[in-house]
Amino acid sequence: MEKKGKRYAPQQEPGGGEEINLLKKKKTKKSKKKKSLVPKWVYKVSLILLAAVLVLVWWFNRESLTPENISDWIQTRIVGMGVGDGYPVEVPGGESDVGNFLSVDGEAVLVSNTALTAWNSTGKATMSVQHSSSQPAVKEAGGRYLIYGVGETGYQINTHTRSLLSKDAEEKILTGAISASGRYALVTQSEDYASRMTVYMADGSVQYEYDFSQTHITAVALSADGVRGFAAGITAQDGGLVSVLYIFDFNQEEPVYTAVSADTLLLEAQWGEDGKVCAVGDRKILWMDTNSGETEEYDYDGATLEAYCLDGSRALLSLSSYAGSDACRVLEFRASSSPVTQLETGGDVTSVSLYGETLAVLSNKMVSAYSSETGESLGSCQAGSDARAIALGNESMVYILGVSEVRQGSFS
């Protein structure tokens, strides 16, 4: 058996042992000299630079790097390590909306008519949170889930492991958003105004409030730290309807930028890390630069929006030339109005999803994956006759929402 950690004296050769040992000593001295070529101050400077980088990382993420968040992250990873019985899994309550189906950190997440549930890649339920909303909607950021009832007053915020808040707004909720820092916003109906946006700190205390006298807000988004926000809505102008866009700094009383987009109803918005907000509408998709207020947009030219997926300022759309068309255009955008990917499909695309450099479409009971750089096919899988929505778990695996169950597919 080989022994390690012991040193053995070299065996001397007759008549040449001393010469061999002297050569070895010379080599040892040379190697020691080589090792000492790097000055000690280099190591000290490297340690200082490493410490500075760690401080900067902490500073820019200080809102998220709290003891509670770190504890949640650890517990979530421990819970998610378990192995389930595989897919399909049943939808709690049996009913759900396709807009409440998503993938977060490789897990399938769904808000049904009774609960918020997450399953890992093996089908194990890693989160199950009950709610009481009859028309639930969900928004997620930084592992926090904001669940609110559309047209209701109740809302709650949960992580995988904890219930953070459960409250009632003073007015009926129209839409909402949450940031990675835990700050969140609710847009509500107002007796005296068209709509009201209230922004809250993570503990539920009010940070900012703004009343829109003539604009009915339909979409809202927050920056990652929750100190800036975006809102868009519909108002009457010159005898027609236009969408008005607002950028807010919650340390200032009034919006810092406003813009107008004609002839579109904005449905949803997300704040990107590049400082641009992407907002998708029924007739256009647009981007607003949060640092300059400049906007650019892509007009559908009469095509019908069938499905969409937002990832920060990145977007994936499915457009058909007319309702019931058997062909669709699939367009991917990255922070600008010029598509980076364009695909033509032979069937109606009813759901789309993005993950990294992969995009996926649901069409004709099949899920097909493509490279978002080249449009090259990456494979496909059966979706099932009742497939309603898809969410990529990674670049080779997809979650599929059926009528009463969630399934899993792999591309080949």
Side-chain angles (χ1 to χ4, degrees), residues 27-37:
K27 288 180 180 179
T28 304
K29 287 180 180 179
K30 285 182 180 180
S31 63
K32 285 183 179 178
K33 287 181 180 179
K34 287 181 180 180
K35 289 182 181 178
S36 62
L37 288 177

Side-chain angles (χ1 to χ4, degrees), residues 25 114 131 150 159 257 265 307 322 381 391 407:
K25 286 179 181 178
T114 61
H131 68 79
V150 179
T159 68
Y257 299 112
L265 170 65
Y322 55 89
C381 64
R407 300 185 286 272

Side-chain angles (χ1 to χ4, degrees), residues 13 30 40 51 54 84 95 99 112 117 146 245 254 271 279 296 323-324 395:
E13 297 291 337
K30 285 182 180 180
K40 290 184 178 179
L54 292 174
E95 297 179 13
S112 67
T117 311
L146 168 65
L245 294 71
E254 296 294 325
W271 193 293
E296 55 180 307
E395 293 187 328

Side-chain angles (χ1 to χ4, degrees), residues 22-285:
L22 286 172
L23 287 172
K24 287 184 177 180
K25 286 179 181 178
K26 288 179 180 180
K27 288 180 180 179
T28 304
K29 287 180 180 179
K30 285 182 180 180
S31 63
K32 285 183 179 178
K33 287 181 180 179
K34 287 181 180 180
K35 289 182 181 178
S36 62
L37 288 177
V38 180
K40 290 184 178 179
W41 65 266
V42 174
Y43 294 105
K44 292 181 180 179
V45 170
S46 299
L47 289 173
I48 292 171
L49 290 174
L50 177 61
V53 170
L54 292 174
V55 169
L56 287 172
V57 170
W58 171 82
W59 176 258
F60 287 110
N61 296 277
R62 63 192 184 280
E63 294 285 352
S64 302
L65 294 177
T66 63
E68 293 81 4
N69 288 352
I70 295 172
S71 175
D72 279 341
W73 184 87
I74 294 172
Q75 292 183 56
T76 299
R77 292 301 179 272
I78 292 173
V79 171
M81 287 193 303
V83 177
D85 296 327
Y87 287 85
V89 294
E90 291 185 3
V91 171
E95 297 179 13
S96 59
D97 186 274
V98 295
N100 292 333
F101 182 58
L102 58 157
S103 178
V104 179
D105 292 334
E107 295 189 336
V109 178
L110 176 67
V111 175
S112 67
N113 59 336
T114 61
L116 163 66
T117 311
W119 299 271
N120 67 13
S121 60
T122 70
K124 179 190 174 183
T126 61
M127 173 174 59
S128 181
V129 178
Q130 301 296 310
H131 68 79
S132 57
S133 299
S134 59
Q135 290 185 301
V138 63
K139 298 293 174 66
E140 183 276 337
R144 289 178 170 84
Y145 297 86
L146 168 65
I147 307 170
Y148 57 90
V150 179
E152 305 170 13
T153 58
Y155 69 93
Q156 62 192 68
I157 299 176
N158 294 84
T159 68
H160 265 70
T161 58
R162 291 188 299 145
S163 173
L164 302 179
L165 284 175
S166 182
K167 300 183 69 174
D168 285 309
E170 294 182 0
E171 301 161 321
K172 292 181 179 179
I173 301 169
L174 301 174
T175 187
I178 191 167
S179 70
S181 69
R183 302 183 187 189
Y184 62 100
L186 296 174
V187 176
T188 57
Q189 295 177 348
S190 175
E191 294 183 359
D192 302 319
Y193 299 91
S195 51
R196 171 175 293 156
M197 180 179 70
T198 307
V199 183
Y200 300 86
M201 303 295 286
D203 62 2
S205 58
V206 175
Q207 175 189 6
Y208 181 86
E209 193 171 82
Y210 190 85
D211 290 317
F212 300 88
S213 59
Q214 298 179 336
T215 306
H216 297 270
I217 299 300
T218 56
V220 62
L222 297 176
S223 61
D225 56 12
V227 300
R228 304 184 75 199
F230 168 87
I234 289 291
T235 190
Q237 186 179 86
D238 299 329
L241 292 177
V242 298
S243 284
V244 186
L245 294 71
Y246 306 85
I247 297 293
F248 292 90
D249 179 337
F250 300 133
N251 294 312
Q252 300 184 34
E253 186 175 348
E254 296 294 325
V256 292
Y257 299 112
T258 59
V260 173
S261 179
D263 206 27
T264 191
L265 170 65
L266 294 176
L267 308 170
E268 189 172 349
Q270 280 200 12
W271 193 293
E273 293 180 357
D274 54 6
K276 287 188 177 182
V277 172
C278 179
V280 61
D282 61 342
R283 299 183 180 182
K284 298 176 184 178
I285 184 170

Side-chain angles (χ1 to χ4, degrees), residues 348-412:
D348 190 22
V349 174
T350 55
S351 183
V352 294
S353 183
L354 279 169
Y355 188 100
E357 297 304 315
T358 298
L359 61 90
V361 301
L362 172 63
S363 178
N364 294 332
K365 305 177 186 178
M366 296 284 294
V367 183
S368 301
Y370 301 90
S371 167
S372 65
E373 290 185 341
T374 65
E376 178 186 359
S377 174
L378 300 177
S380 61
C381 64
Q382 293 287 337
S385 59
D386 65 338
R388 304 164 58 214
I390 58 173
L392 284 168
N394 55 46
E395 293 187 328
S396 60
M397 182 267 288
V398 64
Y399 296 110
I400 303 163
L401 176 64
V403 172
S404 59
E405 65 181 20
V406 176
R407 300 185 286 272
Q408 187 185 69
S410 298
F411 303 120
S412 58

Side-chain angles (χ1 to χ4, degrees), residues 310-358:
L310 296 182
D311 182 10
S313 58
R314 188 179 174 195
L316 184 64
L317 305 181
S318 164
L319 302 174
S320 65
S321 55
Y322 55 89
S325 171
D326 60 354
C328 279
R329 280 184 298 145
V330 177
L331 306 174
E332 181 195 355
F333 302 86
R334 297 192 181 190
S336 78
S337 58
S338 299
V340 296
T341 309
Q342 299 189 57
L343 301 173
E344 296 287 338
T345 68
D348 190 22
V349 174
T350 55
S351 183
V352 294
S353 183
L354 279 169
Y355 188 100
E357 297 304 315
T358 298

